[in-house]
């Protein structure tokens, strides 16, 4: 509700605001993720900029009613460009006491608290481990705009004519809540009605009707009871012209791979072993068999990586994905990929570590594993998407680099990006630059084939089985320059180690220089990577508006680093590297550029909030000022 | 256009062969080079993929495409390759350690998926390349570098494991018995589905003579029984002994007092592998050990066929994927 | 001193059980808590080790020592523990994906080594924890999140794999058939050597009813056959059907026209597992599926006994190691 | 032959020199490793300081007579303290042309070249791919002191009376060569005769007699033919008083583990999967079952690591070892070890990488894998022995830290250390500090047991199964402080990540400060680690003697780094970090201390030679001088 832009409209009491951050929480079984997704899509269709943050328990069905069982979905929709799902909540919907006590802390003072009154009873208090009804606490009424709605009962009433069982009726209460939320924020019911019809219309017409009725009942409740008095409106955001859709990170990654496949004329072989939060890429890709996509659910991560390399040896587009622990297992095979110099993409959708860690939470703590998690000197390029939609572009770029340099490429996504969503401008793929792939055809019978000869990118030829005259053998032992035969020669080993390193380093000459938000010199530079983009961007923009000399460089290329980065770092008095780890990028920057970067680190399974970054930037600005004063005084 | 007729020598790469003099690997290499030209598959359509071990050096010596991969993982590379390139003839070359120790899981899963590939497992019952530790096929009590007081693991039989994993083609041969080896490799190549050939291979440096009872011509006839589909199980230097099924087990009988008709007739095509399992469990010295094709079941769908079939089905059903339609589909809105 | 008599509740940890309501795991947990007190092993002498998966949460719920390890590797931790602490009772808890997909190799090697541990494999034929992908035991053609057009892998049978790996104790039971389950767990605990118990476990969220034919009481009698050592194989609601061995395969016969004496008599102690293998391969709907103990062979040395025996032997032979003598031995010289 | 100390002696022509570097090369089947080991032991027994470098082909039996099949053994023995097997050779023994052409480059001008003339014939020339007899080249006679000896024939003659087959007779020719070498360097035949008797005396008395005869014949050949004229003598080295033995790196590692086991009263469970060059530790340890050592050859490296953790959970001393590719496989399980906070040792005997790389060659390229080769924030201590004998102490120290801090500890050895040998002063183990291990006994029935409570080292209690009242569950999910229960709480995760890091970092307060050879400030500081110790030490000492301001800090602790290291680095104008990788320690130092360390890197599968390090130091010294001049001028 960042700003109230106008109050009331045609007779009704409607505030037009620039943005709303709302979180919907209930028990895992209450359908909160569905509710959130619908609200997001509807808002996106209304032309808002949106950003989401789903947050659900690790358990498939955590015990009902408990704090551990709470499932939440946060969405920010706005009439201006936004980059995060928001920090403090303008509105919080809670279906039970557990949801309330675990989420209330994020509701801003004066925010709207909507509670399903029917979910607040002794049984639930016990499950949630609260002594008394938290809704009754004086402080609640004083601090928030509380609306207690008997949703379960009202839903039951609304669908009573449809002959559903009690249990089935109650199941619809999330749609009632949805209707009410839609009314509150002036959302159209249309897209959700369409969704209900698509999903249940044919198979379960009764359920479809009940859900629709509940949705409408919720809306009417808001419209008629006047309990709320006031509703809100968020105008369309001034996004750049084009056709948009809402997209989730893992979906965008999957689509990007399909696109890269199409752009390069290579069929995609996606080989993986399920693991949270990467599995959805598999679920998505396996639906695109008609694009020539073959998905292979291997027996483990090692097999998945091996199969991707096998496919690449045959001339296919080999892609393998996992999360931290699974990537650890792939290390040896990735090293072989480096030695064989075959194109391949390895995706790590990072989660909280170490070990099994916090599987459903986000973290950025696998960067150094990506850099160094293999024996010997085995460098490979590393890219990181900065937002859900960016996954699409990163996948294509990774594939381009992989074939251009004949190398495995690593993509570091994370749980926050993977499950988050944002509006995405649909690209015109017919205009997209194609990816050029050449397989030598063995024309020259005079010259013996040199599988480890190199082109201007230091890439070796991608000669594939089936090509007469180019039969050759590859392997993990060090190989002789050009011929690829096994070689134990000391000078050759040095040459090959150096060449493999140089091949990756020189990519820096062919990627775009690092862009900066703000001036390219000044007091403070924020350097970030991956999923923290939105929060850092927003914080820097706000601080810039507040007059602080701060700029933002967000890295999408982590290895090699952009060639202008060193100069950039030294053009600022203070460099701060915020990361959801203990300082991994920071270490790489310090080592490479000898710049005394400060870290701003958080390892809590949660993304940064904008305000904690703003606080940090302000603190750094103040420190600089004090220093300056001190200097002048000194 | 007729294909040029190739000879064994055409399958030799330029690389010097670097096994120990006298190693059984040489004979397997020779038979492979002899058999391949007979199959009529052009060299460039053949790929050898190996893990790590002495045996896994094999691909370097073949003038085909090849990959010397990492220890135990050859089946995984082969799976990715064959799934995407069903037009290729793929051979996996592995050792007893490579296939059954570190690679045991991939080995099983390759077999159950029944990719149309051929696997040759060089069983020398020892780790050759790392200089003589015991392997999963080493005998109980075997003294090796890592078991100075004798191995205490109960050995695995590659054939039993394969049968337990629903393999469709399971065979065994012997490095020194070259005609049999050549023929067995040919049978493996011809089978559609994953073909496993275990080859008794002498490591004359670290486990010399461990299988001499089967390798040495003088002993072979009495200690080994050659399986032939539809034929009774007869063996012995004088072909005077046979195998009979009694209830649920097999026993050696003398043909002096048992009629040939009472002998077990080998059925490599039996869908139910129970008898084949009994054969796999016959062990020297109690029993003669079977060589030849234990199991060859046709008609089981292969993974490569199926994965590609689903792609074709999907294309037929939904039309060939349209990238622009994909990204433009679903709920969209226009910003002007 | 007499040991305090423990009850099932004494084996419950303080941790809240977090499986989905209705999950078959609850019943297995309950039976375990019921059986353990009967074994007379003090709680502190018991260790549960699991991998990752819904089933692998098990150790948290037992008031014993426990380790929730990493995916597929539980057998490895158990091997290290039992080899060094043979005094402990070690249970491995695993799922179909944990044991047979990522953990297949350790699974086989644990079985062949025959450590004296007990393994309970919760087979729900699906990946539960990762929300519904197919597993190595999912049926061919099964539609799951990762196989929208149907699974194309040929499924593995845990029992066949185990028999192929020379397991000494192989059994199967069913979550919902609690008396049978309890009894089977007890038998497993009593076996010296690695005991494998496959439990059909319903995942009511992602694969509900996949084994209803065996789980539901109304269907069970006709679709499942309870094995008992030394008893003929009879099944059916009216106990009017049986299993007969004909040549090398098993067939269902009606007791109306077959004498009980002609039925197969179950022999769990048969050293040769061929018939047990045939039983393991009986699959619904063609055949009733066997439950109970398929194989229980006593007297095979266990790895833990043997590794510790060699230590004792060495001590007896060379005396208990003397560190100073070790470092001072061999060729030495003195610098003054 | 560093210095000729005196010439001639009692009537015979004997030069006393301060040291000799000799390399013995022949075909893999020629028994060169045996010859080298015997010469080493004999020299050590003679009181020399010795250092060795065996170098053999990757193949078990590489093709006879070829260059790839050459097996070599280099040994330096000296009357002063030495730290490397020497750079340039004073003497080279070659049994065939392949051995000659591949090794001649390392023989110093004027050095002794002894060739088995009988091994130089057309067949051998062809195998070695030489056009003509390399012994006949004019340049040979001009550059070296060449001795052609028909060893095969002379050996055959020497043993002719013993009734051996021709082949058997010829097999003894390495003993003939040995005898000759022994004469040349005034070595006693005694130890080798004893060895022959021990090895063959009982089982193959004929072979024993033949070998002894060949040895004696070789000696007599030198003594009687006067072809050589001159022989050499190397006096005993002034080592510190004590009883010595010769020890190899892998052997010392094994013994160190046995010692740690004994010192801590814990039985050793050594769980591994064979891999070059780590396997010999297994071969050694499996012989010590009477020390309560259990060795477990697992099905793979993952199982080996898992089993070690399992043993540790039970209260045993779990140790697992491998080399680079195998360590890559252990990453996930090591992460669990970090999370479980159980003591364990993981040994990496490094070899040439990446992938299968150069399995029989040495390299230091797994340091960053050791630091970061796991998902999430999973720090653990890393130690590196500096020489073969130091492996013993490092193993004990690793175990001490592991139990003191309840953490997996990594040891980074390498192929050079593993197979190299040196004289080792036998410690008095009765005086060695014991390692204190406490298992709580569950005495307090009132307080619930807290498996993740911590002591002053931040270590948690090592409560083991079998202890009544302490039943608890551990696992890879993040766990709650103190209770160890699963926890998804953000603040708890941060606390646990921080605490695990702090636990490792604070070890720095309890290890000895970094020692320096030379002044602790000055122009140049050489910072090295692992197997390069000897070469760096020797080079620095020589440069110091030459008046260069250079000091040497050799790190045995790589994580955490010694607490005084930062100050040390900044006390020098130039810091050079020589490594057999592309700059891994250097990266860590730059990142941590922001000191512009220079790298001196070599990735050739070979150790540094002393002279290349001296050249580098001199170049750096010169650069500093030029700079200074420039400065003064500027
Ligand atoms: C990950 C890994 N672990 C271990 C090794 C070392 N290694 C190479 S081959 C081998 C075993 C070889 O035995 P086998 O497969 O029977 O082949 P053989 O040499 O007997 O032909 C081992 C342990 C390795 N190269 N990589
Ligand atoms: C190395 C690794 N890979 C993948 C995963 C993700 N994962 C966790 S459990 C599981 C499979 C679970 O299936 P199953 O073993 O059948 O257990 P269930 O949940 O069905 O009881 C997978 C793939 C993981 N945790 N670690
Ligand atoms: S070590 Fe054995 S298996 Fe390896 S090459 Fe030599 S003889 Fe053959
Ligand atoms: S997902 Fe399935 S297996 Fe897992 S707890 Fe729920 S019902 Fe049980
Ligand atoms: Mg072998
Ligand atoms: Mg399962």
């Amino acid at each position: 509700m960042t700003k109230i832009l106008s109050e009331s409209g045609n007779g009704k009491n409607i505030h037009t605001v620039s943005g709303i951050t709302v979180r919907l929480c209930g028990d895992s079984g209450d359908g909160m993720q569905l509710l959130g997704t619908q609200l997001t899509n509807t808002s996106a269709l209304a032309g808002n900029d949106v950003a989401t943050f789903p947050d659900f328990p690790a358990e498939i069905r955590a015990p009902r009613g408990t704090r551990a069982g709470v499932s939440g979905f946060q969405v920010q929709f706005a009439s201006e460009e936004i980059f995060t799902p928001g920090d403090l909540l303008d509105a919080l919907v809670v279906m039970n006491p557990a949801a309330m006590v675990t989420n209330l802390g994020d509701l801003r003072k004066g925010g709207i608290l909507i509670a399903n009154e029917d979910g607040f009873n002794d049984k639930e208090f016990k499950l949630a481990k609260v002594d008394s009804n938290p809704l009754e606490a004086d402080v609640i009424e004083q601090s928030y705009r509380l609306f207690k709605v008997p949703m379960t009962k009202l839903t039951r009433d609304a669908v009573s004519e449809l002959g559903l069982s009690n249990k089935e009726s109650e199941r619809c209460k999330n749609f009632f809540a949805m209707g009410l939320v839609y009314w509150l924020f002036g959302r159209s019911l249309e897209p959700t009605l369409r969704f209900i019809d698509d999903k249940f219309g044919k198979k379960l017409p009764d359920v479809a009707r009940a859900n629709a009725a509940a949705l409408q009942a919720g809306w009417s409740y808001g419209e008629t009871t006047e309990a709320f008095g006031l509703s809100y409106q968020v105008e369309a955001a001034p996004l750049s012209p084009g056709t948009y859709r809402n997209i989730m990170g893992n979906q965008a990654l999957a689509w990007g791979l399909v696109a890269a496949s199409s752009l390069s004329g290579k069929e995609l072989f996606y080989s993986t072993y399920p693991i949270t939060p990467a599995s959805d890429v598999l679920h998505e890709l396996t639906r695109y068999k008609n694009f020539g996509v073959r998905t292979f659910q291997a027996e483990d991560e090692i097999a998945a990586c091996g199969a991707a390399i096998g496919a690449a040896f045959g001339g296919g587009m080999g892609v393998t994905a996992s999360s931290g622990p699974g990537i650890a297992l792939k290390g040896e095979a990735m090293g072989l990929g480096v030695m064989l110099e075959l194109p391949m993409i390895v995706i790590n959708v990072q989660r909280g570590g170490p070990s099994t860690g916090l599987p459903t939470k986000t973290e950025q703590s696998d960067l150094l594993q990506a850099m160094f998690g293999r024996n010997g000197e085995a460098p490979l390029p590393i890219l990181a998407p900065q937002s859900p939609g960016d996954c699409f572009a990163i996948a294509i770029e990774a594939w381009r680099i992989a074939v251009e340099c004949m190398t495995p490429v690593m993509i570091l996504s994370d749980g926050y990006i993977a499950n988050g969503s944002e509006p995405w401008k649909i690209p015109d793929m017919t205009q997209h630059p194609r990816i050029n792939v050449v397989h030598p055809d063995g024309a020259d019978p005079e010259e013996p084939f040199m599988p480890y000869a190199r082109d201007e990118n230091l890439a070796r030829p991608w000669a594939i089985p089936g090509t007469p005259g180019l039969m050759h053998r590859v392997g993990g032992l060090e190989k002789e320059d050009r011929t690829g035969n096994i070689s134990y020669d000391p000078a050759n080993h040095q040459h090959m180690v150096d060449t493999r390193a140089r091949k990756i380093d020189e990519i820096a000459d062919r990627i775009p220089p690092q862009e900066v938000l703000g001036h390219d010199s000044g007091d403070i530079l924020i350097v970030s990577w991956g999923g923290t983009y939105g929060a850092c961007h927003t914080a820097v923009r706000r601080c810039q508006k507040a007059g602080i000399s701060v700029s933002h460089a967000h890295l999408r290329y982590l290895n090699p680093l952009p060639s202008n980065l060193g100069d950039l770092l030294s053009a600022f008095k203070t460099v701060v590297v915020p990361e959801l780890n203990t300082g991994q990028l920071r270490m790489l920057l310090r080592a490479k550029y000898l710049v005394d970067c400060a870290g701003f680190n958080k390892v809590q399974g949660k993304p940064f909030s904008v305000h904690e970054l703003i606080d940090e930037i302000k603190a750094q600005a103040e420190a600089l000022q004090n220093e300056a004063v001190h200097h002048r005084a000194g | 256009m007729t294909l040029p007729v190739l000879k064994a020598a055409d399958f030799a790469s330029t690389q010097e062969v670097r096994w120990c003099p006298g190693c059984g690997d040489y004979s397997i290499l020779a038979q492979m080079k002899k058999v391949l030209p007979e199959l009529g598959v052009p060299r460039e359509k053949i790929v050898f993929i190996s893990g790590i071990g002495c045996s896994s050096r094999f691909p370097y010596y073949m003038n085909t495409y090849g990959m010397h991969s990492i220890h135990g993982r050859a089946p995984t590379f082969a799976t990715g390759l064959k799934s995407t390139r069903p037009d290729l003839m793929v051979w996996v070359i592995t050792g007893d350690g490579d296939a059954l120790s570190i690679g045991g899981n991939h080995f099983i899963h390759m077999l159950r998926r029944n990719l149309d590939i051929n696997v040759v497992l060089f069983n020398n019952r020892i780790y050759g390349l790392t200089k003589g530790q015991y392997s999963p096929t080493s005998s109980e009590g075997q003294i090796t570098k890592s078991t100075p007081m004798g191995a205490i693991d109960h050995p695995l039989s590659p054939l039993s494991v394969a049968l337990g994993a629903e393999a469709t083609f399971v065979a065994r041969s012997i490095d020194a018995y070259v005609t049999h080896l050549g023929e067995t490799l040919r049978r493996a190549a011809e089978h559609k589905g994953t073909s496993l050939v275990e080859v008794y291979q002498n490591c004359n440096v670290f486990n010399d003579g461990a299988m001499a009872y089967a390798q040495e011509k003088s002993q072979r006839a009495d200690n080994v029984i050659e399986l032939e589909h539809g034929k009774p199980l007869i063996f012995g230097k004088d072909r005077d002994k046979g195998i009979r099924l009694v209830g649920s087990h097999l026993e050696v009988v003398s043909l002096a007092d048992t009629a040939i008709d009472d002998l077990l007739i080998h059925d490599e095509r039996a869908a139910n592998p129970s008898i084949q399992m009994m054969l796999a469990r016959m062990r020297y010295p109690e029993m003669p050990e079977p060589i030849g094709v234990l199991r060859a079941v046709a008609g089981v769908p292969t993974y490569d066929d199926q994965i590609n079939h689903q792609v074709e089905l999907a294309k037929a059903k939904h039309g060939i994927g349209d990238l622009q339609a994909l990204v433009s589909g679903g709920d969209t809105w226009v910003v002007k």
Side-chain angles (χ1 to χ4, degrees), chain A residues 60 273-276 279 297 300-301 322-327 329 351 356 359:
Chain A
I60 306 301
Y273 186 71
I275 190 166
T276 304
S279 311
Q297 181 179 314
D300 66 14
E301 287 83 357
S322 190
S323 188
I327 298 292
L329 289 169
R351 64 189 214 182
T356 311

Side-chain angles (χ1 to χ4, degrees), chain A residues 130-271:
Chain A
V130 295
D131 296 334
S132 57
N133 190 341
L135 290 174
E136 317 271 81
D138 284 349
V139 60
I140 299 294
E141 290 267 15
Q142 287 156 15
S143 310
Y144 309 104
R145 292 174 52 212
L146 171 66
F147 301 97
K148 296 188 270 190
V149 186
M151 297 188 195
T152 316
K153 183 184 166 304
L154 291 170
T155 306
R156 234 188 281 125
D157 294 350
V159 305
S160 62
E161 319 228 303
L162 295 166
L164 274 72
S165 73
N166 246 4
K167 207 172 149 195
E168 282 170 321
S169 306
E170 286 183 19
R171 276 252 190 81
C172 305
K173 70 172 179 295
N174 59 333
F175 281 93
F176 181 96
M178 202 180 298
L180 180 54
V181 167
Y182 279 19
W183 174 83
L184 189 62
F185 300 122
R187 305 274 85 141
S188 155
L189 301 186
E190 203 37 55
T192 300
L193 288 170
R194 212 161 52 224
F195 163 83
I196 292 171
D197 193 49
D198 281 0
K199 176 136 188 189
F200 304 108
K202 286 233 181 67
K203 277 186 294 182
L204 301 163
D206 279 354
V207 173
R209 251 167 293 155
N211 283 337
L215 183 72
Q216 247 129 4
W219 201 90
S220 309
Y221 180 84
E223 179 74 2
T224 54
T225 60
E226 303 206 337
F228 286 85
L230 184 69
S231 76
Y232 300 86
Q233 181 164 311
V234 177
E235 304 284 333
L239 299 177
S240 83
T243 305
Y244 283 78
R245 60 173 307 139
N246 197 38
I247 201 164
M248 287 176 64
N250 273 348
Q251 181 189 20
L253 203 48
W255 290 11
L257 293 174
V258 174
S261 154
S262 163
L263 292 170
S264 60
K266 301 260 87 184
E267 286 191 326
L268 171 60
F269 182 74
Y270 185 80
S271 147

Side-chain angles (χ1 to χ4, degrees), chain A residues 25-26 92-96 99-100 103 113-116 120 135 151:
Chain A
C25 330
L92 173 66
V93 178
V94 297
M95 304 302 279
N96 69 10
M100 175 170 165
N103 286 280
L113 175 63
I114 303 176
N116 172 18
F120 285 71
L135 290 174
M151 297 188 195

Side-chain angles (χ1 to χ4, degrees), chain A residues 44 242 244-245 294 429 466-467, chain B residues 44 64-65 308 324 329 333 335:
Chain A
Y244 283 78
R245 60 173 307 139
R294 283 157 188 79
M429 295 311 297
T467 322
Chain B
E44 65 270 16
T64 63
Y65 285 89
N308 288 295
Q324 193 61 47
W333 69 96
V335 173

Side-chain angles (χ1 to χ4, degrees), chain A residues 280-338:
Chain A
D280 282 338
V281 182
L282 167 65
H283 305 155
E284 184 74 15
L285 279 173
T286 193
R287 297 166 49 210
Y288 302 125
K289 296 194 167 62
N290 61 328
F291 284 82
V293 175
R294 283 157 188 79
T295 59
F296 171 55
Q297 181 179 314
E299 60 270 29
D300 66 14
E301 287 83 357
I302 302 175
C305 194
I309 293 175
F313 186 65
M317 176 170 175
V319 180
T320 186
S322 190
S323 188
I327 298 292
L329 289 169
K330 289 181 204 282
E332 191 204 6
M334 286 167 64
L336 180 67
V338 169

Side-chain angles (χ1 to χ4, degrees), chain B residues 166-182:
Chain B
E166 319 281 327
T168 59
F169 183 102
V170 177
R172 178 189 280 151
S173 192
I174 298 173
D175 53 3
Y177 191 0
V178 294
T179 49
H180 188 271
L181 174 58

